[in-house]
Amino acid sequence: MSKKKKKRKAQARADSADVRRDFMDYDSRGITPMRFGDTRPQYYSSGSQNYAMLASLYHSSGIARKIVSKPAKDAVRNGWCLVIPDDPKMQSDYQQVMDKLQLKKVLSEEIIYQRLYGDGYITIGTRELSASPDPYQPIDTDHLLSVQFVHAFGQTHVQRYQTDDNPYSETYGQEQAVVYSPTSSGYKIGPNGEIMPTGENASTVVIDKTRYFHASLDKLEDDETGTSILQACFDQIKAADTALYSTGKMLFEYTLKSFKSDQMANEEDEDKFDSDYRKLADGMSTESLVLMASDEDLTKISTNVSGIQALYDYIWQQMAAVSDIPRSVFIGEQSGTLAGASQDVVNYYDGIKSIQEDILKPQIEYIMKLLFMSSQVCGGSVDPDSVNWGIEFNPLWSADDKTQSETLLNTVNAASTAVSAGIIDPDEGKAMLAGQSNNAVQPLKVTVGDSVDQDMLTRGQLKSYRRWLKKEMRRLDDG
C-alpha cells in the first residue's frame, strides 16, 4: 500500500473519531467550561464568582441573557405612576421631573446587574449648596437643590462594602458605605476628533449609604457578595446548549448516503481519488441519478429522532424550575394577556410583583422624597409627609376576555347576593366591586360624583350589571 493511501486512511480514521464538542467549549465563544458530563455539577461559593465569565456568558448565550434580563425588563415594562389625588397639577409636574431621570431604564439595569453578578447598585447624584457634594458625606436634605442623575452599576468595580452583622444592633443588615474603583474619569472629543481626558486620573470613591441603593441576590449570612442567577442555572444552560449543538449536528446529518466501492477504496492516485470524490459528492448532494458498477452499493441512511422531544421537554422543565421563568413566558407564548389555566404564568408575574414591591418601590419613593425636598424642583421644597402621595405600578398582565367576564360575573353575583340578604349595604357592595382594580384582572370603574347617590350602587344597578355580564358570557361562548 502506498504512503499516500496509508496517510489518507489514517486521516479518515482521525476524522471519524468520536469527538464531541459543544458550543460552550469553543474558545471562540469566550468561555471554556468543561463539556457537560465530563465533570460533576460544580458548586460555587459566594465571593469566588468569575465576573468576566458571567459577562461573556450573558453576551454569548441567548438563554443566559433571557434568564437575566427577562424579569428585569418585565418589572418596569408597564411603568408606574405618581399619585397625588389632592393636587393633579403637582402630580403632573413631579411626574415629568421623575421621567427625566429615566428611572425605568436605570432600575431595569440594576436588576440585570443583580441577577447577572449577584449585586446591583444605583447611585444618586445631587446638587446641594456646597459647590461639590462629597459622596462620602450623607445627603444634606436641608440644603438640597435638585437630583441631577441616577446611575446603575454592578459588582465588578466594587472593592467592598461593610454591613452591620450584629443581630442585636438596630442597624443589623444595613450598609454604611460602598467603596468603588472606577477605571477612568471620562473622556471628551476635541475639535479635531482627538480623545481627551475630562479630568485627573480616576481615584477610589467612597459612597455614603444615603447616596446609593444596593440590591443583592441570594446573599446569605457569611457571603461576601450576592450569587449570580447564572450559577444556579449553569448546568441547565449547558444542557440546553448541548441540545442545540446536537440538534444542529443531526439536522446537518439528518440524511446521508453510504457508498461502497472497492475501486475508490483501492484508488492509489490521490488526485484522481479527490476528483472522483468531489464528483460523487456533488451528485449525491441532490436526489440525482448515480451510476454504479455491479459490485458497488449505495445506501441512504436517516437519523431516528423518536423520543427526543421528551428529552427537550425535560430540559425546559429544569430551566423553568431553577430560573422561575415558565416555558411559555421564556419563549414568548404568553405575554400580557393570560388564559384562565395559566397559573404558572400568574405565579411568575406574582414574583415580578414582589420585585416591584420589595426592591423598586422603596427606591422610587426615596428618590421622590428627595425631589420633594429639593428647593429648585417644581417651585420649591415640600415636606413629603405633608403631601398625600404614593407610587402605584401599572398592572403587569390581564386575563383574556372570557376569564375577565367570568371573574367579574362571580364577583357581581356575590355582591348582589350579599346586598339582597342584607349582609352588606349597597355602598359596601360598590367597594367590593371597585376592589377588583387591585386584582389586575378586570377593573370595574364606577363613576364617582359629588352626590351620595352617585357614590353608591343600588340593587337595580347590581342586577343590571349581572344581566349585562350574562349577555357578554353568551356572546363569548357563541364566538
Side-chain angles (χ1 to χ4, degrees), residues 403-446:
T403 303
Q404 290 182 14
S405 297
E406 291 175 348
T407 302
L408 186 55
L409 177 60
N410 292 335
T411 306
V412 170
N413 285 337
S416 178
T417 302
V419 171
S420 300
I423 300 174
I424 60 176
D425 295 330
D427 56 339
E428 294 175 326
K430 171 202 164 182
M432 179 179 176
L433 294 174
Q436 287 298 302
S437 60
N438 296 326
N439 199 9
V441 175
Q442 171 64 53
L444 180 62
K445 296 181 179 179
V446 181

Side-chain angles (χ1 to χ4, degrees), residues 31 106 120 133 165 202 207 245 279 282 297 319 321 349 351 354 361 414 418:
I31 49 178
V106 175
D165 59 357
I207 307 174
Y245 178 80
K279 291 178 181 179
D282 291 341
D297 183 26
M319 192 75 70
Y349 282 113
S354 68
K361 188 173 182 179

Side-chain angles (χ1 to χ4, degrees), residues 201-216:
N201 294 332
S203 59
T204 300
V205 179
V206 180
I207 307 174
D208 183 74
K209 63 180 180 180
T210 61
R211 299 182 182 274
Y212 76 95
F213 301 123
H214 178 198
S216 190

Side-chain angles (χ1 to χ4, degrees), residues 163-338:
T163 304
D164 184 357
D165 59 357
N166 180 7
Y168 282 96
S169 172
E170 294 183 358
T171 59
Y172 174 69
Q174 299 180 15
E175 299 175 19
Q176 300 301 317
V178 62
V179 182
Y180 186 84
S181 297
T183 56
S184 69
S185 58
Y187 295 86
K188 64 180 181 180
I189 305 299
N192 298 321
E194 68 276 13
I195 299 177
M196 301 180 299
T198 57
E200 299 178 354
N201 294 332
S203 59
T204 300
V205 179
V206 180
I207 307 174
D208 183 74
K209 63 180 180 180
T210 61
R211 299 182 182 274
Y212 76 95
F213 301 123
H214 178 198
S216 190
L217 181 66
D218 295 339
K219 183 178 181 296
L220 300 181
E221 183 178 9
D222 294 327
D223 291 344
E224 296 178 2
T225 62
T227 305
S228 170
I229 187 66
L230 296 185
Q231 288 194 172
C233 304
F234 195 73
D235 289 315
Q236 286 72 22
I237 295 173
K238 284 199 294 184
D241 188 84
T242 301
L244 177 61
Y245 178 80
S246 301
T247 302
K249 292 287 289 183
M250 284 189 294
L251 291 176
F252 184 75
E253 301 172 353
Y254 191 71
T255 60
L256 57 90
K257 301 178 182 68
S258 174
F259 183 63
K260 299 179 181 179
S261 173
D262 291 337
Q263 178 181 354
M264 289 193 66
N266 298 322
E267 180 61 61
E268 297 183 359
D269 188 341
E270 186 76 22
D271 294 336
K272 187 175 186 308
F273 175 85
D274 292 339
S275 176
D276 292 343
Y277 183 84
R278 283 194 300 270
K279 291 178 181 179
L280 190 60
D282 291 341
M284 288 194 298
S285 63
T286 65
E287 296 299 327
S288 359
L289 178 66
V290 178
L291 299 178
M292 297 180 297
S294 59
D295 60 342
E296 296 174 337
D297 183 26
L298 177 64
T299 305
K300 189 171 183 179
I301 303 174
S302 298
T303 301
N304 183 8
V305 295
S306 61
I308 197 171
Q309 183 62 44
L311 298 176
Y312 289 171
D313 288 342
Y314 177 75
I315 292 175
W316 277 114
Q317 290 174 3
Q318 285 286 308
M319 192 75 70
V322 298
S323 66
D324 288 331
I325 304 177
R327 174 178 175 174
S328 55
V329 173
F330 207 105
I331 62 179
E333 291 178 353
Q334 291 276 12
S335 179
T337 302
L338 311 180

